Amino acid sequence: MAYDKFNILTSSAVPLPIENVDTDQIIPARFLKATERVGFGDNLFRDWRYNGDDTPKVDFVLNNSMYSGKILVGGKNFGSGSSREHAAWAVYDYGFRVVVSSFFADIFKGNCLNIGVLPVQVSAGFANKIFAAIENDPKTELEINLPEQTITILNSGEKESFDINGYKKNNMLNGFDDIDYLQNIKEEIITFAEKQLI
């Protein structure tokens, strides 16, 4: 399932400075029945966003109109817990293209990269600078430059580099998932296979 190509994203960000956010908080287990990647955004952080009667909790950041954008800035150890792919699906379906944290659970990080969500791991100090900038001005914009592998707080110019697997970087730049990648090199695979039969 292809997704939009990712190159450079400039956007305001939604701050969630909570540590150890696990996948059950991102998407509660009772919403895991579907097998397609659509509709999960409605239940992103469901139990934090809504009361038992489905009314929005006014103190949760996703219900605060001051904050918006395609970037979610989370606390340390984001995406821990079970390995459910649906957590990454919910993040993407809600509209986030980037999650920033000072540490990601490995499986969640991989699940994000597989569907077009870029996990940007920064130092704890830089994460704190981002939170402070957003607190000072909710419209603060971040620039995520995938080709250069940098994240910049635009109003201050402060910048930090981030790591990404080369294969996953190439896939994101092209909007490929693993199947799309194989389809893209189909002729090379056929040529290689034919040579093995000689």
Side-chain angles (χ1 to χ4, degrees):
M1 181 177 175
Y3 47 78
D4 296 335
K5 295 179 181 180
F6 194 112
N7 194 278
I8 299 173
L9 174 66
T10 300
S11 174
S12 53
V14 176
L16 187 68
I18 301 172
E19 294 189 357
N20 305 312
V21 174
D22 66 38
T23 53
D24 194 55
Q25 292 160 333
I26 295 171
I27 183 76
R30 64 187 182 278
F31 299 111
L32 306 187
K33 296 174 184 176
T35 55
E36 295 184 357
R37 299 176 187 170
V38 295
F40 288 97
D42 293 340
N43 295 308
L44 177 68
F45 298 117
R46 179 74 190 195
D47 294 335
W48 289 354
R49 282 169 68 192
Y50 296 100
N51 295 303
D53 60 0
D54 291 334
T55 56
K57 294 182 179 180
V58 295
D59 59 345
F60 187 62
V61 67
L62 293 190
N63 298 326
N64 188 335
S65 60
M66 287 175 51
Y67 302 105
S68 63
K70 296 185 176 184
I71 302 171
L72 175 65
V73 185
K76 182 179 180 181
N77 195 26
F78 193 91
S80 59
S82 75
S83 60
R84 66 190 66 167
E85 293 174 295
H86 307 70
W89 298 356
V91 169
Y92 183 89
D93 192 59
Y94 184 84
F96 291 119
R97 290 303 310 279
V98 173
V99 181
V100 179
S101 176
S102 60
F103 183 79
F104 289 99
D106 285 341
I107 295 176
F108 175 80
K109 185 176 183 178
N111 288 339
C112 283
L113 287 167
N114 286 340
I115 65 158
V117 175
L118 180 60
V120 174
Q121 187 163 317
V122 298
S123 66
F126 196 78
N128 288 336
K129 288 180 181 180
I130 295 172
F131 284 128
I134 297 172
E135 183 177 3
N136 184 57
D137 177 8
K139 300 304 178 187
T140 291
E141 290 191 322
L142 306 177
E143 179 192 85
I144 313 297
N145 186 318
L146 180 55
E148 298 295 326
Q149 295 177 214
T150 58
I151 174 172
T152 305
I153 305 171
L154 290 181
N155 62 7
S156 68
E158 293 175 281
K159 179 187 297 188
E160 189 166 282
S161 297
F162 61 88
D163 293 328
I164 183 173
N165 172 277
Y167 165 70
K168 293 298 186 183
K169 176 180 178 178
N170 181 68
N171 277 2
M172 290 206 71
L173 288 169
N174 288 285
F176 292 161
D177 65 12
D178 292 332
I179 301 301
D180 297 313
Y181 172 78
L182 291 174
Q183 291 283 2
N184 188 58
I185 61 170
K186 181 179 179 180
E187 294 305 318
E188 296 174 45
I189 294 171
I190 291 171
T191 300
F192 177 82
E194 288 173 345
K195 287 180 180 178
Q196 305 312 303
L197 297 175
I198 296 174

